[in-house]
Amino acid sequence: MKLTQTTVRLVLAEPLRISRSTMTARDAVRLTVEHEGLSGHGEAVTSVFYGLDTPTLQRLAALTAESLTRFAGPETALHALRVGELTGPGTPAAMTAATEAALLDLVGKRTATAVHRFLGSPVAPRAATARTISLMSPGRAATQARALADAGFSLIKIKAGDPDPETDLDRVRAVRAAAPRARLLLDPNGAWTAGQARTLLPRFAELGVEAVEQPLTPGDPEALARLAARSPVPVIADEDAVTYEDARRLAGRVHGINVKLPKCGGVHAALRIATLIEGSDTDLMLGCLTASTLGIAPAVHIADRARWADLDGHLLLAHDPWTGIGGADGFVTAGGEPGLGVRPRAVGAPRADAGSGSDAAAVAEDAPRAGADAGSCAGSRVAAASWSEAS
């Protein structure tokens, strides 16, 4: 087997502003695994929060390419990945997830099987996905919400964490008035103190907010659990629920856990978490980072397991280089073709689904995690992602 990598720049159709940052672009490193005339693809995207810049991802991809040469085929490599024998100790979850996606895509093509089928779903999952309205004026938020509702979106996620909480409340009121039948999620990205949350959550409950993601600054999951126990709005853990062990500590103590494949390590890691929390009164949310259709597709193949799907990162892009999961009408659908069921978009082909709003695409893009190192990998085109940090 041979693994090659390509780096592309993903530019957002408009800046995405959350409580701690504003993002305008990020890089995607595509992994292509070739074996016996077939190719499988996966994608890892840069993230300031997870300490993953472009050179780091390229270096990790090169190390993965070396490791893959030890295996006779994608099936044995996939097994080795799942038991921790393919990637080295400390390999970031995002690279593990991208490698797994490429191998799943290739195995699916070799067996003429869509990925969701050998993950246990005989019917291609189809899920209503949220679209995010970032920090903006209430009037502009109302305009976007009305357009989203008209396009078919029934779930809207509203970013919060404005320096003036009354602006957040006005934004939610405006969205509620513009899209009265939409279900509303709220995401402050950890901007509130416990005292602020206790004051604000009853007011958002009165506005019909269905659930709130990570209201408290991450790093104190016990505080998040205490807040959830008394909150009038269901609380979903995001930044405080990265790993399986994080989920184990919070199972039954928060109302939901937002599982993103790049932070947990791929679809099988996500399914382990889903099994763990089943029956615990903690529901599964499937989220994503801003990525192309290729990067979002693996999560769509397990979207039928989730109460909430927030898989719209590809819809935020000015140009999505891949196609195959839809989303413009408010629904994402796993491709029925072998593998991930996605394909490159023809150069210059128009897309009808570009626009504002995304999942937690810029989630915690304000500080790198400790321990991430940077290196370079020759032979790949470097296109530096750009962030403009919010004050």
Side-chain angles (χ1 to χ4, degrees):
M1 285 187 298
K2 182 176 80 170
L3 183 150
T4 57
Q5 58 172 295
T6 305
T7 302
V8 298
R9 185 177 179 83
L10 303 177
V11 178
L12 279 66
E14 64 178 61
L16 177 67
R17 182 184 171 215
I18 65 170
S19 60
R20 289 171 289 188
S21 67
T22 299
M23 188 177 69
T24 59
R26 71 189 335 152
D27 277 1
V29 175
R30 185 179 76 235
L31 309 183
T32 298
V33 180
E34 301 173 68
H35 184 66
E36 295 182 345
L38 294 173
S39 299
H41 307 282
E43 179 180 271
V45 295
T46 51
S47 168
V48 173
F49 181 67
Y50 293 107
L52 297 175
D53 58 16
T54 307
T56 297
L57 286 177
Q58 292 171 336
R59 178 181 59 81
L60 291 167
L63 292 173
T64 302
E66 294 177 9
S67 297
L68 275 176
T69 61
R70 307 196 318 261
F71 299 96
E75 293 83 5
T76 56
L78 188 58
H79 174 75
L81 182 74
R82 292 171 186 166
V83 299
E85 296 177 355
L86 174 58
T87 55
T91 298
M95 183 54 60
T96 301
T99 305
E100 180 196 50
L103 292 171
L104 284 169
D105 191 31
L106 181 53
V107 170
K109 290 172 180 175
R110 281 165 57 83
T111 59
T113 305
V115 163
H116 62 82
R117 294 186 65 86
F118 52 74
L119 293 177
S121 297
V123 178
R126 182 174 186 264
T129 182
R131 283 290 299 269
T132 295
I133 292 176
S134 66
L135 295 182
M136 61 180 62
S137 71
R140 188 158 172 247
T143 299
Q144 288 198 1
R146 190 173 297 109
L148 291 174
D150 289 346
F153 286 87
S154 60
L155 184 62
I156 296 175
K157 185 163 82 171
I158 307 165
K159 291 294 184 182
D162 194 278
D164 180 2
E166 293 299 325
T167 301
D168 288 336
L169 287 157
D170 288 343
R171 187 181 305 109
V172 173
R173 290 189 191 98
V175 170
R176 170 57 72 207
R181 288 178 289 188
R183 299 159 55 205
L184 303 184
L185 302 177
L186 191 70
D187 186 8
N189 286 107
W192 298 339
T193 66
Q196 287 174 317
R198 287 192 296 269
T199 299
L200 291 170
L201 286 175
R203 300 181 68 185
F204 284 111
E206 292 175 357
L207 296 175
V209 169
E210 180 173 317
V212 58
E213 285 184 60
Q214 195 67 42
L216 304 182
T217 303
D220 190 351
E222 292 301 315
L224 191 68
R226 289 193 297 270
L227 178 67
R230 303 183 63 180
S231 174
V233 178
V235 172
I236 302 170
D238 185 355
E239 290 94 329
D240 271 329
V242 175
T243 67
Y244 181 89
E245 285 304 310
D246 293 337
R248 183 183 61 78
R249 283 189 289 269
L250 287 171
R253 305 177 67 203
V254 294
H255 304 93
I257 289 178
N258 188 352
V259 173
K260 298 184 177 80
L261 304 193
K263 75 175 183 179
C264 74
V267 292
H268 281 86
L271 291 175
R272 285 188 68 219
I273 293 174
T275 300
L276 169 72
I277 65 177
E278 188 174 359
S280 71
D281 293 326
T282 295
D283 290 314
L284 179 69
M285 179 177 187
L286 274 176
C288 63
L289 303 182
T290 299
S292 75
T293 282
L294 174 62
I296 306 298
V300 179
H301 281 270
I302 59 171
D304 52 350
R305 269 81 158 185
R307 175 177 174 181
W308 301 282
D310 192 8
L311 300 174
D312 64 340
H314 60 304
L315 300 178
L316 185 65
L317 303 179
H319 172 72
D320 183 354
W322 293 77
T323 187
I325 60 173
D329 61 351
F331 292 86
V332 288
T333 306
E337 298 82 6
L340 291 174
V342 300
R343 58 195 178 278
R345 189 183 300 274
V347 176
R351 58 169 291 180
D353 52 0
S356 61
S358 174
D359 162 68
V363 66
E365 292 289 290
D366 55 344
R369 285 201 164 188
D373 54 355
S376 62
C377 176
S380 295
R381 183 174 65 84
V382 178
S386 64
W387 293 271
S388 173
E389 300 304 333
S391 57

